[in-house]
Each structure stands twice: as structure tokens, then as C-alpha cells.
Amino acid sequence: MKAKEKILVIGSSGQIGGELVEGLRTIYGQESVIASDIKDLDNDALITAAPYETLNVLDKNRIFEIVQKYEITQIYLLAALLSATAEKNPMFAWDLNMNGLFNVLDLAKEGHIKKVYWPSSIAVFGPTTPRVNTPQYTIMEPNTVYGISKQTGERWCEYYFNKYNVDVRSLRYPGLIGYKSAPGGGTTDYAVHIYHEAIKHQQYECFLSENTSLPMMYMPDAIKATIDLMHAEAEKVKIRSAYNLSGMSFSPKEIALEICTHFPTFKISYNPDSRQQIADSWPQSIDDSAAQNDWGWKAQYDLKKMSNDMFKHLIK
Ligand code: SER
């Protein structure tokens, strides 16, 4: 059954996209997973990315053209502006994050594709949300453009499921950390940069304060959660807005201490900027028992295990 699926990943050059394409291709085969991004790739990159299409998610006709060309059955929509970048260009972030989603949801509503994956985020929560072990259902008053777009997106996903029977699935990703691709424009990006700087310079200036604890997840866990959710039987996916998802939680001080076990001379300093305010409005830890109960989710990486793996690969 799986062999017949043809998958389009929109935003394949982003932090999650590259790894997700890789993960999906090991399951479905190279030719069945079409990578796409707004970026034109040079010839070398094209060879590894192929099949690849240049695509602006705001161009619905172009998405439709690709869907028809490859007989696409599923879309993973990853193109979005993240929290810090969105604050610099609120209206464009709103346009991209919302209309990109509508373009894809409408293709499913019109019956052209069967399944949609769209990522939500811990940014759907806000300063009035309980911050420790944040429940699935709780107060949600996001105060960033990114968070507002993700929360609104969740409402529309649930609406399309209820009204039009669109099989759309979503996860509220925590901050994602991986060694294969750089993050771009998020508040949790420090937790990736810190590893690179530890190797290169044995020091790092952090843009968040030392005790700012945030929910985080290692990329292999995030990819596994995404594919597990998409493979779950439809009846098991009881939440059609987005599932809470938890990996680990740590502060800059705690990750610095862990890094010191690899690089004893590593030094961290703190110079919080505007991203501090965003981080302060987000949860410290997440209760993901709904994901555990509904489709058997369990994270495999904690801070120590992730750090060992990050350094193993980055030092190479
Ligand atoms: N990592 C994202 C960000 O910081 C959260 O979804 O914007």
C-alpha cells in the first residue's frame, strides 16, 4: 500500500525538510518523494535532491501543477517563517504561514490529495499558559505573529477535518536540534549554534538568559514522530488541531554544563536580545500524554544522548 504513495515535501531546503525527505525516501523510495523549495538549486545540489521542483507555496496553481505531474497523494507542508524572523516582517509571515496552508488544505478539500502534514509549534502557547508540563488543552494566547499564525492554522486544520473530511495531521514541535542543517530565524536556534561554536571556538554568546528553560527535541525524534503520526490509523488520530510533543527541556546553563563534559574549557556568556521575550512567553515543558496514548509516541533522546550524537557527527 505504501509503495503507491507519492509525497510532496514543500520547504525541503529548511531545517526539517532535508531530514524529512531523507527519512521518507528510505521508506517510500527516492522517486516517490518529491522535494520542493522556493530556492533554485545548483546542479550539484539538484542531483542529490532529485526529484526536485522549485515552488513558491503561495502559488497555488504551481502546487497543483506539481501534484498532477507526479500524481501526488500526500503533502508535507514545511515552508514557514519562524518566530524571530516573523516578528521582523509580520504581514509577510502571516501571508506565507496562512495562505500556504490554505493552498494545501484546499487541494485536499477538492480531492486532489489524500493526506496533509502541517507542523504547529509550542509557539501556540503564550504568557498566560501554564508553563510547566503544559497540557494539550489549556489557555492559548500567543503574542507572536508566528504563534498567532500557528494557532490559527491549528483551528483551520481541525475545521477542514470536521467540515470537509480532510485528513490533516499536525504536531506542536518544540525547538528542534540537528547536525545536518542549520536552523533559520527561530528562538530556539541557540541550542544548535552552541554545538558548532563549542567545536570551533570553545565559547558561545547566548541570546537567551542562563535559566531560560524551553522544550526541545533531537531531530531524529522529530522525524520519527512526524512519520509515526502520518502512518497512524486515521481513527487513532483523535486530535486534528495539533498534538503536544515532548522530548526534553533544558536551559542554556544546563546545555553548557553538558557541553563541558565534552569540552571542559567551554565557556558560555549571556547577552539576551528580543528573542528573550519570545522565549519567556513559551512553556518550559510539555505534557504529551495524548500523543503517547493515541498513537504510541515516546521520545528516545535526552540531553546527554543527543549531545553525544551531535558531537560524534559534527566533529567528523
Ligand atoms: N523553533 C521554533 C522557533 O523558535 C519554534 O517552533 O521559532
Side-chain angles (χ1 to χ4, degrees):
M1 194 194 83
K2 270 174 203 160
K4 287 198 202 115
E5 300 294 338
K6 285 298 251 341
I7 298 174
L8 174 63
V9 176
I10 302 178
S12 61
S13 303
Q15 190 195 7
I16 308 170
E19 299 209 30
L20 186 63
V21 167
E22 219 178 281
L24 290 169
R25 282 181 175 165
T26 59
I27 299 170
Y28 294 93
Q30 179 88 11
E31 295 302 317
S32 296
V33 181
I34 289 72
S36 72
D37 203 280
I38 197 161
K39 288 182 195 154
D40 282 323
L41 297 185
D42 60 35
N43 282 342
D44 286 350
L46 255 180
I47 292 166
T48 37
Y52 179 87
E53 295 284 344
T54 305
L55 169 66
N56 176 353
V57 71
L58 292 176
D59 185 348
K60 190 181 172 194
N61 291 334
R62 174 82 179 121
I63 309 177
F64 186 46
E65 196 181 293
I66 295 170
V67 164
Q68 288 194 307
K69 176 174 170 188
Y70 295 94
E71 299 180 338
I72 297 294
T73 57
Q74 304 184 14
I75 294 182
Y76 287 69
L77 167 56
L78 304 173
L81 237 55
L82 291 188
S83 58
T85 320
E87 290 308 299
K88 293 190 187 128
N89 201 343
M91 281 302 130
F92 175 64
W94 177 253
D95 185 28
L96 178 72
N97 294 4
M98 296 314 304
N99 289 321
L101 175 60
F102 280 126
N103 285 346
V104 171
L105 286 178
D106 281 336
L107 285 174
K109 177 186 158 189
E110 292 155 13
H112 302 297
I113 52 170
K114 289 189 300 189
K115 233 188 225 184
V116 176
Y117 178 78
W118 172 79
S120 185
S121 159
I122 52 166
V124 294
F125 300 114
T128 51
T129 303
R131 299 191 67 203
V132 176
N133 232 2
T134 301
Q136 174 72 37
Y137 300 108
T138 183
I139 301 167
M140 294 164 93
E141 295 186 311
N143 61 5
T144 62
V145 184
Y146 177 66
I148 297 169
S149 73
K150 287 294 177 187
Q151 200 210 10
T152 311
E154 284 192 8
R155 297 288 87 228
W156 278 110
C157 286
E158 194 188 84
Y159 186 89
Y160 270 64
F161 173 75
N162 286 333
K163 294 276 172 174
Y164 310 124
N165 220 7
V166 167
D167 189 352
V168 53
R169 305 172 181 209
S170 178
L171 298 169
R172 291 172 182 157
Y173 288 136
L176 297 181
I177 299 157
Y179 61 87
K180 290 185 186 164
S181 48
T187 301
T188 56
D189 293 7
Y190 90 86
V192 179
H193 297 146
I194 196 169
Y195 286 105
H196 291 267
E197 292 305 305
I199 294 169
K200 279 190 261 174
H201 304 116
Q202 283 82 57
Q203 59 182 14
Y204 179 67
E205 186 182 275
C206 187
F207 57 75
L208 298 181
S209 64
E210 62 180 336
N211 293 319
T212 309
S213 207
L214 286 169
M216 301 279 187
M217 179 173 276
Y218 196 33
M219 195 62 85
D221 269 340
I223 300 300
K224 183 176 185 304
T226 307
I227 295 176
D228 283 359
L229 174 67
M230 286 296 272
H231 284 174
E233 289 159 41
E235 308 77 63
K236 290 196 173 156
V237 185
K238 297 195 183 102
I239 295 173
R240 296 296 183 147
S241 49
Y243 277 95
N244 272 9
L245 191 68
S246 172
M248 61 189 96
S249 286
F250 56 78
S251 63
K253 189 176 169 181
E254 286 161 337
I255 190 175
L257 279 174
E258 183 55 40
I259 287 173
C260 284
T261 67
H262 296 260
F263 294 91
T265 57
F266 177 74
K267 291 265 174 306
I268 186 166
S269 57
Y270 302 95
N271 188 10
D273 64 18
S274 58
R275 287 168 280 192
Q276 182 67 44
Q277 213 184 341
I278 299 177
D280 288 339
S281 77
W282 288 353
Q284 294 174 345
S285 56
I286 298 288
D287 172 7
D288 66 358
S289 48
Q292 293 182 35
N293 295 335
D294 289 359
W295 44 277
W297 166 246
K298 185 142 188 46
Q300 284 168 4
Y301 286 88
D302 60 14
L303 177 57
K304 183 165 271 323
K305 202 171 158 196
M306 172 177 76
S307 301
N308 290 342
D309 204 57
M310 282 292 282
F311 282 129
K312 193 176 97 192
H313 289 98
L314 286 177
I315 288 169
K316 272 195 211 155

